[in-house]
Amino acid sequence: MSYGPSSVALESFASLFTKILHYTQHKNLPKGQSLHAHLIKTDISSSCIYLSNSIVNLYAKCHCLFDAHLAFQEIQNKDIVSWNCLINGYSQLGRRDSSISVLNLFKQMRRENYLPNPHTFSGIFTAVSTLEDAFSGKQAHCLGFKLGCLSDVFVGSSLLNMYCKAGGHLVDARKMFDEMPERNSVSWTTMISGYATQRLVKEALGMFRVILWERGQDVNEFVFTSVLSAIALPEFIYVGKQIHGFSLKNGFLWTVSVANATVTMYAKCGSLDDACWAFELSSEKNSITWSAIITGYAQNGDCMKALKLFSEMHLCGMNPSEYTLVGVLNACSDFDALREGKQVHGYLIKLGFVPQMYILTALVDMYAKCGNVTDARRGFDYLKEPDIVLWTSMIAGYVNNGDNENAMGMYCRLLMEGVVPNELTMVSVLKACSSLAALEQGKQIHAHIVKHGFSLEVPIGSALSTMYAKSGSLHEGDLVFRRMPARDLVSWNSMMSGLSQNGRGVEALELFEEMLLDGTRPDYVTFVNILSACSHMGLVKRGWKIFKMMSYEFGIEPRLEHFACMVDMFGRAGKLYEAKEFIESAANHVDCGLCLWRILLSACRNYRNYELGAYAGEKLMELGSQESSAYVLLSSIYSALGRLEDVERVRRLMNLRGVSKEPGCSWIELKSQFHVFVVGDQLHAQIVDIREELWRLSKLMKDEGYKPDFDPCLELEGVMDI
DNA sequence: TTAGGGTTAG
């Protein structure tokens, strides 16, 4: 073998190699560059393929793929190592674009008839894992098999990782793992984290136990971090504590990655005290440690604490990573903290973070959840090819801000652009359909759910049965509900609410009993539903019993909604004085007079109890009601009682307080067009035809014996409309 | 005496 110009001594080569290796290992780019310059000047490297490859490797390890590529192209007599240095340089970046480059380089290499070896395949499988491209993965797998490269433990582990990441291939992956001729700690960790991503906790724990008791030599910090992420669920907190103790005893907790995984595990288990404790005790905090605790508080609903920790982090002189900022943005979203959210947005720009997909998703989410849909949309429009998570955030943003039409429009656009919706997309559009009572569109979404193979598990099943129930299709709603493999509290609640709202109170109550037998613990929403069912069915005794049971048996303090249901229940049953007493006793619990007296006032109108109605109305006046209907009703009641001075007084009060009556309005959607009507409407293009039809229908009703209710109070209310 | 795999934060 030639070592180049004879003037260069053999030991000089040795020293050059040592230097390059050292700079590569320590990612010392400036020193590496000057060495490269020296090599070019003396023309040493062109004669030695080892040196040229090492230069490519140096740039690749320093993440300078552009320079690595240039150095690669300069090599006249490339060998497989030259290709591998470049391919692995790209694959180690772990990005989509770089992984695509890996596959292109691989194709080019094959065209130029270079034979891949195990080093090549580990890079290829890693790139395919990043791309989650099962097709290319299988092709490469076949080639690797043909060339006999799969028995290598590096190739085996990267192939295992590829099948784990592709998802849904865990059984194949496990088979592959069991059949591997050689396994080491990396193969074990890959399998454990494969189970972790699929939330197969028991399987992950099983592997952890084996490695712990049978293969102690393979236990390292990677094993701990992956098993900790696998068990990060509230029901496994005791296992988490054992592993925490074990890692402490064996000295792994002092590794920053294990400490971080421990903080995250406790936070995801919902045990913030333990997370905080692990955070405080961690000897070496990096931005991941801070992100873990900040995100933990944000996800557990203590957004104030999350924001406070962020400023503490700042005071400690620790620079946030983009992940920290995403965690803080999430805290702002749930805390409705638009001002702080905007500050973080500014921070992201200031620190020069490239607006990647997940950062934009967090921003869109924050703006939408803080009610600023316009800015959320600007964030969405920033990227040319938003991923499904970003689409879903935007759609959910519209739904949560009540703009269901735009949500549906976005969903149609998504389908037209060929994007495949995910579970959460379907849940959001189903919510939009529920709010619009758009049964036809809801059925189409149901068809998409079947087409895309989503199961009826929570949350899709729940959203679907709610959509049917709220659109009045209780039979279909019930069918979906019964076919769900498991129901959570929300699914029970929504089905109950559907039944209750559609006049099927008895069935709602039966469902409540069934839910208790099923072992599901009711929440305050459950009680709103069943109290409302009692109210509509006139079941006063039952309602009272349930209202008391709520706090005695379930420890749920009554809220405004529950008090309102009770007053409505008494009111509908004509028990007006009981309602009055109830309101007066409830006044000790919550400040809800405005709402409760208003309900009683309507009930008094319905039962023509004008004296009590006047009493309730005066209470509303005292409380400074801003609802026009309260003033209108009270003045009508005074009219009916002949107390004209009071009529005048109430009207004056209404003017004085600037309360104005909004005209009644209704709308209907026909053939994708909305027809809106307001009181005394003359503007609709077909108003003449509409009036004729109304007249025909009124006549038909009268002919069939319908007698309109001439309540003086109702009549006067009509007079006030003009 | 050049090249490869796995973990934690979203």
Side-chain angles (χ1 to χ4, degrees), chain A residues 49 59 93 159 192 199 567:
Chain A
I49 186 69
Y59 283 118
L93 285 183
L159 184 63
I192 294 177
R199 282 274 167 253
V567 176

Side-chain angles (χ1 to χ4, degrees), chain A residues 517-711:
Chain A
L517 283 175
D518 182 70
T520 308
R521 203 179 161 76
D523 71 346
Y524 84 96
V525 180
T526 320
F527 285 98
V528 173
N529 288 330
I530 50 171
L531 286 174
S532 147
C534 290
S535 156
H536 287 103
M537 303 302 295
L539 301 169
V540 178
K541 267 192 187 164
R542 184 88 183 264
W544 248 127
K545 203 177 140 199
I546 289 168
F547 183 77
K548 285 176 187 157
M549 177 174 139
M550 181 168 77
S551 44
Y552 290 152
E553 273 185 43
F554 296 97
I556 300 169
E557 281 304 304
R559 301 189 186 186
L560 172 62
E561 295 95 315
H562 304 114
F563 288 113
C565 283
M566 291 299 284
V567 176
D568 191 51
M569 181 181 78
F570 290 125
R572 279 174 195 266
K575 297 181 182 299
L576 303 176
Y577 288 95
E578 283 189 62
K580 173 179 168 276
E581 275 172 33
F582 184 84
I583 299 174
E584 281 164 349
S585 67
N588 304 324
H589 292 273
V590 273
D591 183 22
C592 47
L594 275 173
C595 172
L596 301 185
W597 289 115
R598 175 68 188 81
I599 299 170
L600 179 59
L601 178 61
S602 294
C604 292
R605 193 267 312 270
N606 293 341
Y607 279 94
R608 298 184 192 181
N609 185 334
Y610 299 141
E611 282 74 20
L612 189 55
Y615 180 82
E618 285 303 335
K619 285 280 181 193
L620 286 168
M621 300 298 109
E622 271 172 37
L623 291 168
S625 170
Q626 285 293 309
E627 249 186 300
S628 59
S629 59
Y631 293 83
V632 173
L633 246 148
L634 181 61
S635 76
S636 319
I637 282 174
Y638 282 135
S639 276
L641 288 171
R643 289 164 60 175
L644 298 178
E645 277 177 21
D646 287 319
V647 173
E648 264 313 300
R649 180 174 56 85
V650 173
R651 285 185 180 183
R652 273 202 310 276
L653 201 59
M654 191 173 169
N655 286 334
L656 198 70
R657 289 181 178 169
V659 181
S660 58
K661 183 162 170 30
E662 293 229 344
C665 175
S666 69
W667 61 90
I668 187 169
E669 186 193 350
L670 279 177
K671 293 182 183 165
S672 309
Q673 205 188 339
F674 280 93
H675 300 263
V676 183
F677 303 94
V678 284
V679 170
D681 202 313
Q682 300 290 340
L683 296 172
H684 194 278
Q686 289 162 283
I687 193 70
V688 179
D689 298 338
I690 293 168
R691 282 186 188 280
E692 260 179 33
E693 180 61 15
L694 278 175
W695 186 80
R696 191 185 68 79
L697 285 172
S698 307
K699 190 173 175 301
L700 203 66
M701 281 160 72
K702 277 181 199 160
D703 290 348
E704 295 208 355
Y706 170 73
K707 285 196 180 91
D709 185 2
F710 283 113
D711 183 338

Side-chain angles (χ1 to χ4, degrees), chain A residues 82 193 198 215 243 295 302 380 446 454 456 479 605 641:
Chain A
S82 329
S193 58
Q198 298 294 314
R215 301 181 59 96
I243 296 177
T295 310
D302 194 345
F380 176 84
H446 190 173
F454 292 116
L456 286 184
L479 273 180
R605 193 267 312 270
L641 288 171

Side-chain angles (χ1 to χ4, degrees), chain A residues 131-181:
Chain A
L131 292 171
E132 294 179 25
D133 176 358
F135 183 72
S136 304
K138 278 191 179 155
Q139 278 187 324
H141 185 176
C142 291
L143 186 65
F145 178 73
K146 224 164 75 178
L147 297 175
C149 292
L150 302 186
S151 57
D152 182 284
V153 69
F154 282 76
V155 178
S157 302
S158 58
L159 184 63
L160 193 62
N161 187 39
M162 185 189 90
Y163 279 106
C164 288
K165 290 269 163 63
H169 295 95
L170 260 291
V171 178
D172 293 340
R174 179 57 190 264
K175 201 165 165 266
M176 197 179 293
F177 174 84
D178 289 336
E179 288 168 4
M180 273 168 83

Side-chain angles (χ1 to χ4, degrees), chain A residues 65 69 86-87 89-105 127-128 130-131 354 356:
Chain A
L65 269 299
H69 218 127
L86 195 60
I87 284 179
Y90 276 112
S91 87
Q92 281 161 4
L93 285 183
R95 297 195 318 242
R96 277 194 74 80
D97 56 342
S98 61
S99 302
I100 292 169
S101 303
V102 169
L103 297 188
N104 289 334
L105 276 170
V128 172
T130 308
L131 292 171
V354 185
Q356 292 170 49

Side-chain angles (χ1 to χ4, degrees), chain A residues 406-435:
Chain A
N406 254 322
M408 294 305 290
M410 287 292 276
Y411 178 67
C412 293
R413 220 186 98 190
L414 171 152
L415 292 180
M416 278 193 296
E417 292 188 15
V419 182
V420 180
N422 68 18
E423 231 180 36
L424 294 176
T425 328
M426 303 320 268
V427 171
S428 280
V429 279
L430 280 171
K431 271 190 197 164
C433 292
S434 298
S435 305

Side-chain angles (χ1 to χ4, degrees), chain A residues 364-435:
Chain A
V364 166
D365 222 44
M366 182 276 292
Y367 279 114
K369 283 191 179 147
C370 294
N372 189 340
V373 201
T374 317
D375 281 338
R377 181 58 188 260
R378 280 172 62 191
F380 176 84
D381 290 335
Y382 184 87
L383 279 188
K384 281 201 182 104
E385 283 182 22
D387 70 352
I388 186 58
V389 180
L390 190 49
W391 275 102
T392 307
S393 280
M394 195 60 235
I395 292 175
Y398 277 126
V399 173
N400 295 331
N401 282 283
D403 190 346
N404 298 301
E405 288 84 357
N406 254 322
M408 294 305 290
M410 287 292 276
Y411 178 67
C412 293
R413 220 186 98 190
L414 171 152
L415 292 180
M416 278 193 296
E417 292 188 15
V419 182
V420 180
N422 68 18
E423 231 180 36
L424 294 176
T425 328
M426 303 320 268
V427 171
S428 280
V429 279
L430 280 171
K431 271 190 197 164
C433 292
S434 298
S435 305

